[in-house]
Amino acid sequence: MEYKNIIVKREDKIAVITINREKALNALNDETVNELQSFFHHSWGDNSLGCVIITGAGKAFVAGADISELAQCDVQKAIATSMKGLYLTKTIENFPCPVIAAVNGFALGGGCELAMACDIRLASDKAKFGQPEVNLGLIPGYGGTQRLARLVGRGKAKQMIFTGEMIDAHEAHRIGLVDEVYPVEELMNKAMEMAKSITSKASLAIAVAKECINRGLDINLSAACDLEKINFGAIYGTSDAFEGMKAFLEKRKAEFKGK
Ligand code: CAA
């Protein structure tokens, strides 16, 4: 697949997507959103894919939706732009294998929202996070009002969204917006290390665990535990579960087949 604004590199079961509009700090224009959507759409049934890493070229992860395009919208087009971003973030959230955001620099507006849709956020010590839309007279449009409050609590989310101020990686880590912080030069190696650890495990179990965590957080605890029970039964019936337990008892490394 040919892309103009993203670079996709495949290393065994891992795909690394680099958003590559460095001159515009990787701002998400319509074309870039389409290309990201197209990658996830076409990769949905690819059983050889076990983990995706998203990062940005240069000093930014993503500095937000492309303001030069946004400024040309009317209300209907603005709603359509929001819907496209929401669809992309939902696609990432529901994607059957884990998606890691390797946040190398600015993750602002739509960039912070893109990172929040990923399963795990690793940040470089140079990363900066924010939802600065109020500076433009706007509000977040790719899920920021919802996912930020769910990740860091309503008080911190309101503080970030109402002031539009940026926070650094360490503060983002402290409030639970990012999961790990590394020196910038180590970020991609650490992301690859984590992706390799994930892809060495049973892919079906990981897909089902992701689904249980995501769905479970939207419903009450009792119903969520029922969801886990049903899925525990479903995963128990897979060949990989049989192989994993057998390998443990035979004191050897399991050979998972994704079946
Ligand atoms: N859209 C379009 N272009 C952008 C951009 C964006 N979101 N962010 C940066 N750029 C462009 C700049 O216009 C500039 O282009 P030129 O060289 O052609 O002038 C180039 O990237 C470099 O940017 P700066 O010169 O501003 O770089 P800086 O280091 O001085 O500042 C920054 C960096 C603080 C990130 C600053 O660029 C900035 O504040 N960017 C806008 C961030 C923002 O408001 N994001 C939210 C967008 S709205 C949104 O995302 C809505 C939503 O939820 C969907």
Side-chain angles (χ1 to χ4, degrees):
M1 197 102 200
E2 286 288 308
Y3 297 114
K4 201 172 128 201
N5 303 301
I6 63 173
I7 300 166
V8 179
K9 284 204 176 127
R10 191 68 193 261
E11 191 178 310
D12 195 16
K13 295 176 180 171
I14 303 162
V16 180
I17 303 176
T18 305
I19 301 173
N20 191 34
R21 295 187 71 223
E22 211 175 318
K23 283 193 178 141
L25 301 186
N26 306 322
L28 295 176
N29 62 354
D30 200 46
E31 206 173 37
T32 309
V33 172
N34 288 343
E35 290 185 7
L36 287 167
Q37 188 65 53
S38 164
F39 169 83
F40 285 102
H41 180 76
H42 286 101
S43 305
W44 199 278
D46 179 355
N47 293 333
S48 69
L49 183 63
C51 191
V52 179
I53 298 172
I54 305 179
T55 193
K59 70 173 183 179
F61 175 69
V62 167
D66 190 304
I67 300 168
S68 59
E69 274 189 5
L70 214 49
Q72 307 299 320
C73 289
D74 55 23
V75 170
Q76 290 308 320
K77 183 81 200 328
I79 292 172
T81 301
S82 171
M83 281 173 70
K84 274 183 85 164
L86 288 168
Y87 185 56
L88 172 63
T89 49
K90 197 81 195 148
T91 302
I92 293 171
E93 203 166 56
N94 290 334
F95 195 63
C97 74
V99 183
I100 298 173
V103 182
N104 49 305
F106 292 113
L108 303 175
C112 189
E113 292 166 300
L114 177 67
M116 287 193 287
C118 296
D119 296 293
I120 298 163
R121 279 156 296 286
L122 308 180
S124 90
D125 53 2
K126 300 274 184 286
K128 293 229 164 19
F129 296 80
Q131 294 292 159
E133 288 87 350
V134 292
N135 294 328
L136 305 167
L138 298 172
I139 65 166
Y142 293 175
T145 57
Q146 304 310 308
R147 289 197 181 93
L148 188 58
R150 282 164 173 76
L151 272 172
V152 305
R154 67 181 73 191
K156 272 287 163 206
K158 285 177 180 172
Q159 186 183 334
M160 284 179 70
I161 291 170
F162 295 172
T163 67
E165 283 170 13
M166 284 191 256
I167 58 171
D168 67 18
H170 295 290
E171 175 64 1
H173 183 245
R174 193 187 69 78
I175 65 174
L177 178 53
V178 302
D179 304 299
E180 305 288 347
V181 181
Y182 302 112
V184 65
E185 59 280 5
E186 285 179 24
L187 177 67
M188 287 315 289
N189 284 343
K190 292 290 186 186
M192 283 303 282
E193 216 173 84
M194 187 177 283
K196 282 179 185 160
S197 168
I198 289 169
T199 54
S200 71
K201 308 298 182 331
S203 58
L204 288 177
I206 290 169
V208 169
K210 173 169 170 169
E211 182 87 8
C212 284
I213 295 167
N214 283 351
R215 296 293 145 261
L217 285 169
D218 289 337
I219 56 181
N220 71 52
L221 182 61
S222 170
C225 288
D226 284 345
L227 182 74
E228 182 176 281
K229 173 191 68 187
I230 292 161
N231 279 291
F232 188 82
I235 208 69
Y236 191 88
T238 62
S239 306
D240 277 355
F242 182 76
E243 162 64 8
M245 289 183 281
K246 191 163 178 280
F248 176 82
L249 295 173
E250 291 172 359
K251 301 192 186 310
R252 62 175 173 82
K253 196 172 179 299
E255 283 183 37
F256 295 119
K257 302 258 187 311
K259 290 182 177 160

